[in-house]
């Protein structure tokens, strides 16, 4: 393996001169600097950033932590984070669940972006400090070192349900995600509030607990098919579960939307080809904004006011323009 000594020997300079060039110090002439960088490239030598971090106690690295590989929207969030991070000369570590905490230390990374329902509030509050800011994408925390960048779930879900009611739908089922998550709580509250405002009853037996995965939506729909009467519309807390439900209905000869309407939330990649009515979240921008706020806070621009991202409804053919009463 090529080391700094080999580069110094090939360039005919001292090790300290090579080190000064790699650390962008101004005490080396331009001709010598260019020659050293050219030799580094030719020899395939790249400085060990981890070793540099351990020596200096500083890191231009941020951590993105999430917990669920099954949901395709993560890739868009990661792309947004990565683009901003790269434009600002930071590195990105992507990790999940239990492996995350060991990287969330100021000598290994400068800050973290969290989208992990399993990461406890107490853990984040304990880790965050003046030298280690955190951005959370899945909750709002009142802490001077934690910025919340969250989706406004309530308003678009309210608009969606009102739109479904205005199209003539009156009887509803609901497939929820993990009950402890803020997204699921907010979406379900909007659903119930709009039904109540329209004087429509909802029975708890029509609530099905899912986990945001397609399989749980498929299972919920299969259970629903065992009942005596289908609702007019099955509202799902995310697209994956809605897609699973549509597949279950199709497998059992139930037509969407003629026999039952289905809605989702997220606008994942499969939503359009499935004709799914849903709420579109700008996930690339969500990641980009989170990275921007985190790096600004790392650089000393303290901003921890919660930021809410707007989302919009996309009407497709999983909901009829007008419900035909049967």
């Amino acid at each position: 393996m090529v080391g700094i000594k080999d580069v110094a020997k090939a360039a005919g300079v001292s090790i300290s001169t090579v080190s000064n060039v790699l650390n962008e110090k101004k005490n080396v002439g331009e001709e010598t600097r260019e020659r050293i960088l050219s030799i580094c490239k030719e020899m395939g030598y790249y400085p060990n950033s981890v070793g540099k971090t351990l020596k200096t106690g500083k890191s231009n690295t941020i951590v993105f932590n999430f917990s669920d590989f099954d949901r395709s929207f993560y890739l868009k969030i990661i792309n947004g984070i990565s683009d901003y991070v790269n434009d600002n000369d930071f590195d990105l570590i992507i990790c999940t669940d239990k492996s995350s905490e060991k990287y969330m230390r100021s000598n290994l990374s400068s800050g973290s972006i969290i989208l992990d329902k399993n990461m406890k509030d107490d853990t984040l509050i304990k880790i965050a400090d003046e030298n280690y800011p955190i951005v959370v994408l899945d909750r709002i925390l009142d802490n001077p070192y934690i910025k919340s960048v969250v989706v406004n779930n309530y308003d678009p879900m309210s608009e969606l349900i009102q739109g479904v009611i205005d199209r003539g739908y009156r009887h509803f089922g609901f497939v929820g995600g993990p009950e402890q998550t803020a997204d699921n709580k907010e979406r379900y509250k909007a659903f119930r509030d709009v039904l109540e405002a329209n004087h429509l009853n909802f029975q708890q037996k029509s609530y099905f607990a899912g986990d945001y995965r397609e399989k749980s939506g498929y299972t919920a729909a299969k259970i629903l098919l065992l009942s005596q009467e289908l609702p007019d519309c099955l509202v799902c807390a995310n697209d994956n579960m809605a897609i699973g439900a549509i597949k279950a209905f199709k497998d059992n000869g139930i037509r969407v939307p003629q026999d039952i309407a289905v809605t989702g939330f997220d606008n994942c990649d499969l939503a359009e080809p499935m004709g799914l009515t849903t709420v579109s979240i700008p996930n690339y921008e969500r990641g980009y904004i989170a990275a921007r706020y985190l790096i600004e806070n790392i650089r000393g621009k303290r901003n921890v006011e919660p930021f809410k991202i707007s989302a919009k409804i996309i009407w497709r053919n999983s909901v009829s323009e007008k419900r035909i009463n049967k």
Side-chain angles (χ1 to χ4, degrees):
M1 181 179 290
V2 176
I4 192 170
K5 291 181 180 179
D6 301 306
V7 174
K9 184 176 180 180
V13 298
S14 67
I15 293 173
S16 61
T17 299
V18 176
S19 178
N20 287 338
V21 169
L22 296 176
N23 285 292
E24 300 181 356
K25 293 186 178 179
K26 305 298 183 184
N27 58 349
V28 181
E30 190 60 31
E31 184 179 339
T32 301
R33 179 186 305 278
E34 290 181 2
R35 185 171 81 254
I36 290 171
L37 291 175
S38 177
I39 290 170
C40 285
K41 185 175 181 180
E42 289 172 7
M43 298 179 73
Y45 174 72
Y46 301 96
N48 186 334
S49 59
V50 174
K52 179 181 175 181
T53 295
L54 292 173
K55 288 179 181 179
T56 63
K58 297 180 180 179
S59 169
N60 268 17
T61 301
I62 68 171
V63 172
F64 175 52
N65 164 230
F66 68 106
S67 62
D68 188 349
F69 283 103
D70 191 48
R71 301 173 68 191
S72 61
F73 74 82
Y74 280 115
L75 184 58
K76 294 177 182 178
I77 293 174
I78 290 169
N79 285 340
I81 293 172
S82 179
D83 283 354
Y84 192 87
V85 164
N86 290 336
D87 288 346
N88 285 271
D89 297 322
F90 274 69
D91 296 317
L92 176 63
I93 294 174
I94 300 172
C95 53
T96 62
D97 210 2
K98 294 181 180 178
S99 64
S100 304
E101 286 187 48
K102 66 182 179 183
Y103 294 108
M104 295 172 67
R105 296 175 4 217
S106 59
N107 65 331
L108 293 179
S109 61
S110 301
S112 294
I113 299 171
I114 307 296
L115 183 52
D116 181 359
K117 62 182 182 295
N118 298 316
M119 184 73 74
K120 304 292 185 185
D121 291 355
D122 291 347
T123 301
L124 296 173
I125 291 169
K126 181 179 178 181
I127 292 173
D129 62 28
E130 186 175 359
N131 298 311
Y132 199 90
I134 291 174
V135 172
V136 290
L137 298 179
D138 58 353
R139 70 199 83 176
I140 293 179
L141 293 176
D142 184 13
N143 183 278
Y145 310 110
I146 299 177
K147 173 83 173 182
S148 296
V149 177
V150 294
V151 176
N152 178 0
N153 294 283
Y154 188 90
D155 290 344
M157 179 60 98
S158 298
E159 185 182 346
L160 173 65
I161 303 306
Q162 187 60 57
V164 173
I165 292 171
D166 291 344
R167 284 163 171 77
Y169 293 85
R170 295 292 180 268
H171 303 288
F172 291 84
F174 190 92
V175 184
E179 293 187 357
Q180 75 275 19
T181 62
D183 283 348
N184 184 69
K185 290 177 181 177
E186 199 172 357
R187 292 169 194 179
Y188 183 56
K189 185 177 189 318
F191 168 77
R192 291 299 302 267
D193 286 353
V194 173
L195 292 191
E196 184 177 342
N198 285 271
H199 309 291
L200 297 175
N201 293 324
F202 179 78
Q203 296 182 326
Q204 197 60 32
K205 68 179 183 180
S206 297
Y207 181 99
F208 302 90
D211 60 7
Y212 283 149
R213 290 180 170 86
E214 183 179 309
K215 184 178 179 181
S216 67
Y218 190 96
T219 300
K222 289 280 285 183
I223 294 171
L224 185 59
L225 288 169
L226 298 175
S227 65
Q228 295 293 318
E229 185 178 351
L230 288 177
D232 296 342
C233 179
L234 183 63
V235 177
C236 301
N238 85 328
D239 285 353
N240 282 354
M241 296 190 300
I243 289 167
I246 291 173
K247 289 180 178 179
F249 292 141
K250 183 179 179 181
D251 290 346
N252 288 271
I254 303 299
R255 301 168 301 166
V256 176
Q258 294 90 337
D259 299 320
I260 185 170
V262 179
T263 68
F265 205 109
D266 284 337
N267 197 32
C268 72
D269 292 340
L270 283 177
E272 184 174 3
M274 293 289 288
L276 178 63
T277 291
T278 187
V279 174
S280 179
I281 299 172
N283 282 308
Y284 173 87
E285 292 80 2
R286 187 180 178 190
Y288 194 92
I289 290 167
R292 188 192 80 190
Y293 278 124
L294 180 61
I295 290 175
E296 285 179 356
N297 282 341
I298 288 169
R299 290 172 171 167
K301 184 180 178 181
R302 184 71 55 79
N303 181 340
V304 293
E305 288 295 317
F307 182 91
K308 284 207 168 188
I309 295 173
S310 299
K312 66 179 182 179
I313 300 167
I314 298 181
W315 295 98
R316 298 192 179 104
N317 60 17
S318 68
V319 176
S320 296
E321 283 298 316
K322 191 69 177 176
R323 173 69 173 170
I324 300 174
N325 294 319
K326 296 181 179 180

